[in-house]
Amino acid sequence: MTHGMFLRSAAVVAIVAASFMAPQTAGAVQVTAFQQAVAESVSGDEQIAEFYRARGFEPIWTGSDPAHFERRAALLEALSTAGHHGLPAAKYDAEALLSRMASVRSGYDRGAVEVALTELYLDFARDLQTGVIDTPSRVQREIVRTIPRRETSYYLAGLLSDAPRSFMASLVPQSQEYARLMRAKMRLEYTIAHGGWGAPVPAGKYEPGDTGAGVIALRDRLIAMDYLDRTVSARYDAAITDAVRLFQENHGLTVDGVAGGGTLDQINATPQERLKSVIVAMERERWINLPEGLGRRHILVNIADFNARIFDDGKPTFETRSVVGHQELDRQTPEFSDEMDHMVINPSWFVPRSIITREYLPKLRSNPGAVSHLEIVDSRGRVVSRNRSFASYTDRSFPFSMRQKPGPRNALGTVKFMFPNKYNIYLHDTPAKDLFSREVRTYSHGCVRLNDPHDFAYALLAPQTSDPVAFFQSHLRSGAESRVNLEQPVPVHLIYRTAFTTAKGHTQFRRDVYDRDSAIWTALSAAGVEIGGVQS
């Protein structure tokens, strides 16, 4: 035995000895080969080591009693479902595990398998409950969401309960959205296995009244996608028009019943592409599988859908269109969750430093009177005279702030909704109402603009005042900037879903305007996630 091996073995004996409560000397402790293997195997993970120390290095998997058998069976059954959840099934190699268990020939072998089972279980449990990707910001920097990982002790305590199968089943996100996404995944896999949706529709523009091969291809594609009942009509008739309109609605397109370039791009998307979107959405749903849930009342902003909704008891009770950050990386709306605690009626706009230096300072250098709708303010809040030159200031040396007073032209409109966060993101009104009629609404510097901010305010105020409309309007008419606290703060979740569901109807799909889902799919694929039985 080398000196290093001797020291390692002595350390293992010390670890095992420390776990025994009987008053005996270290020399009297009998360390079994099983205990030594467990102690060696867990030495790199303090939480697992603490668990086994607390139970005297007794096994939880590899014993012969019924409880151990039930845990092993529950784990193997759970692992067999990995592919159903869009997880990397090969990562949890049940066959290799069974082979290793069958090859145990000694107490030392059994101890090594014991820890391997625990590590595999924890790996699978965390992936299933809160996602394969544990730090999304490493995939895309604007996904700043904190993943709600549970402690090791939570998973091991649950496993030791009387019903390990039930506990493992509880790790699956319990949201209706996750269940519906799983069903959408199964439908797409069935479609792929049976040949897909047929030939793509030739490029062009198809309108009501048209005939020809392109219309027949469009008809057949819509039938295959379950948007159109079977028909032999070769004309772009009312039924096809209605089917195209429904398809457009379900894909966030302008609803006009005409199959032009944008609509055909979406119609010709393959089921494999749609399946990737659904699997990514399932991963994202695991990221927000919070122990406390999303909140009995909560606000959900789907950046990719350009929409904001209020949910009460799991059902949407208010929704409005939104405008989100531009595709430029520095202007994209980030993904995170926080808590809205107040609104400001007749708000001032304090211009973010990044906008000042990037957009306004260059104008002030050449013309001190530029952007005259904004006040230049010093560190004490005093308005700075423009009868001076700003030409010598750089991005770093410019010492002033900029502010826009409340009013009809204010960039924040008449109200802003605050959930204070380090990203300086909030929801607000806007005077630029024309943008809400556009199909792709990526125009802001990162904050979320609302099409119906007053109705949104009324909905938020309803639980705390008998007449929210009168309450809000009285503050608005005063013209004075006023803060109104929410008596019950409301969780806000800024999410990004290119695939999502509704209680009834088809799965909804949206464009990947920030290319985030493609980056996530690349990461999932690298981790071993597959579609159609082939790693993509």
Side-chain angles (χ1 to χ4, degrees):
M1 178 181 289
T2 65
H3 181 64
M5 290 175 65
F6 174 80
L7 290 176
R8 181 184 180 197
S9 181
V12 169
V13 171
I15 291 171
V16 176
S19 71
F20 288 93
M21 302 303 295
Q24 49 187 307
T25 65
V29 174
Q30 298 298 311
V31 179
T32 68
F34 173 87
Q35 291 169 332
Q36 180 170 343
V38 171
E40 288 178 353
S41 299
V42 302
S43 61
D45 189 313
E46 180 54 33
Q47 292 190 58
I48 299 178
E50 175 59 32
F51 171 77
Y52 277 102
R53 279 198 298 267
R55 55 185 290 110
F57 291 87
E58 287 298 309
I60 61 174
W61 302 99
T62 57
S64 58
D65 63 80
H68 288 228
F69 175 83
E70 186 175 359
R71 288 180 202 129
R72 293 195 299 268
L75 176 59
L76 290 170
E77 289 173 13
L79 294 178
S80 70
T81 69
H84 301 322
H85 293 280
L87 298 176
K91 180 182 178 183
Y92 330 105
D93 191 344
E95 291 299 323
L97 177 63
L98 288 170
S99 177
R100 186 173 180 184
M101 291 168 64
S103 67
V104 168
R105 294 292 181 268
S106 67
Y108 190 92
D109 291 344
R110 187 165 64 89
V113 168
E114 169 74 24
V115 177
L117 282 163
T118 296
E119 291 174 339
L120 177 62
Y121 160 69
L122 291 171
D123 199 17
F124 174 76
R126 289 169 178 141
D127 289 356
L128 178 63
Q129 187 173 48
T130 52
V132 176
I133 299 171
D134 57 7
T135 311
S137 60
R138 293 178 182 172
V139 177
Q140 215 280 354
R141 78 176 198 188
E142 296 303 314
I143 310 176
V144 292
R145 179 168 305 288
T146 300
I147 304 303
R149 295 291 196 194
R150 281 40 158 198
E151 293 292 328
T152 295
S153 58
Y154 163 82
Y155 293 110
L156 294 173
L159 179 68
L160 295 181
S161 68
D162 292 335
R165 282 182 173 85
S166 297
F167 179 74
M168 290 188 193
S170 75
L171 300 177
V172 177
Q174 301 299 301
S175 67
Q176 294 179 351
E177 177 68 8
Y178 190 83
R180 291 194 293 254
L181 285 169
M182 278 195 74
R183 290 195 291 270
K185 177 179 177 290
M186 292 172 63
R187 287 193 297 269
L188 285 164
E189 288 170 337
Y190 180 88
T191 297
I192 292 168
H194 289 79
W197 291 318
V201 182
K205 182 179 182 181
Y206 305 97
E207 302 180 274
D210 287 351
T211 59
V215 172
I216 293 173
L218 174 63
R219 177 202 69 191
D220 291 346
R221 188 89 172 176
L222 291 168
I223 291 171
M225 299 172 76
D226 198 29
Y227 276 92
L228 180 65
D229 291 335
R230 290 197 173 277
T231 175
V232 295
S233 174
R235 180 178 295 276
Y236 200 127
D237 56 15
I240 291 179
T241 302
D242 290 343
V244 169
R245 291 177 64 88
L246 179 59
F247 180 91
Q248 291 169 330
E249 182 179 341
N250 288 342
H251 291 75
L253 305 168
T254 300
V255 180
D256 58 9
V258 175
T263 297
L264 290 181
D265 284 344
Q266 298 301 309
I267 285 176
N268 286 333
T270 66
Q272 288 85 352
E273 291 172 309
R274 297 306 190 198
L275 180 55
K276 290 178 184 179
S277 296
V278 168
I279 291 173
V280 168
M282 292 172 69
E283 172 75 359
R284 288 179 173 280
E285 188 70 7
R286 290 188 284 265
W287 294 350
I288 58 172
N289 186 21
L290 302 166
E292 69 276 15
L294 297 182
R296 184 171 182 179
R297 159 168 273 208
H298 64 270
I299 297 163
L300 200 66
V301 179
N302 186 350
I303 299 164
D305 184 34
F306 315 116
N307 197 291
R309 295 176 175 87
I310 297 176
F311 282 78
D312 289 289
D313 297 317
K315 297 180 179 179
T317 54
F318 177 85
E319 69 175 279
T320 182
R321 290 186 170 199
S322 66
V323 167
V324 300
H326 192 269
Q327 286 95 331
E328 293 176 11
L329 189 58
D330 289 339
R331 292 176 57 184
Q332 291 182 14
T333 301
E335 298 170 53
F336 66 100
S337 294
D338 216 299
E339 201 168 64
M340 183 179 292
D341 59 12
H342 72 279
M343 66 181 73
V344 178
I345 304 172
N346 297 314
S348 296
W349 180 41
F350 295 90
V351 185
R353 180 76 182 180
S354 60
I355 298 178
I356 292 174
T357 57
R358 187 170 58 215
E359 298 184 23
Y360 296 153
L361 180 57
K363 296 178 181 179
L364 289 172
R365 287 192 190 110
S366 58
N367 176 15
V371 291
S372 59
H373 63 292
L374 300 174
E375 294 178 331
I376 301 173
V377 183
D378 68 14
S379 60
R380 296 184 180 180
R382 299 172 300 188
V383 177
V384 175
S385 171
R386 289 174 178 261
N387 294 325
R388 55 177 298 168
S389 172
F390 298 100
S392 64
Y393 289 114
T394 67
D395 292 359
R396 290 188 176 183
S397 67
F398 187 70
F400 307 118
S401 302
M402 300 185 77
R403 175 182 67 199
Q404 186 179 22
K405 290 182 177 180
R409 294 181 57 210
N410 186 281
L412 306 184
T414 56
V415 60
K416 66 178 180 179
F417 305 92
M418 303 301 292
F419 40 106
N421 57 81
K422 62 184 178 181
Y423 314 109
N424 198 26
I425 297 296
Y426 46 89
L427 314 185
H428 64 87
D429 184 18
T430 176
K433 300 295 187 182
D434 60 303
L435 298 179
F436 292 105
S437 63
R438 303 192 183 184
E439 189 174 282
V440 176
R441 298 189 287 276
T442 51
Y443 296 99
S444 83
H445 286 85
C447 287
V448 179
R449 307 174 189 173
L450 302 179
N451 189 35
D452 302 302
H454 291 189
D455 290 335
F456 188 77
Y458 305 154
L460 290 174
L461 292 169
Q464 65 189 64
T465 179
S466 59
D467 192 343
V469 176
F471 177 89
F472 180 87
Q473 289 296 329
S474 66
H475 282 274
L476 186 64
R477 286 193 298 271
S478 74
E481 185 167 359
S482 57
R483 169 176 172 149
V484 177
N485 291 332
L486 298 180
E487 293 177 3
Q488 182 62 50
V490 180
V492 181
H493 307 286
L494 274 64
I495 66 171
Y496 183 99
R497 298 288 175 85
T498 63
F500 58 97
T501 70
T502 56
K504 296 180 180 179
H506 295 79
T507 304
Q508 304 274 316
F509 292 99
R510 298 295 185 267
R511 296 182 179 95
D512 187 10
V513 291
Y514 291 163
D515 291 325
R516 289 183 187 172
D517 273 18
S518 61
I520 292 170
W521 173 256
T522 298
L524 290 175
S525 181
V529 175
E530 301 176 353
I531 62 169
V534 178
Q535 190 167 352
S536 179

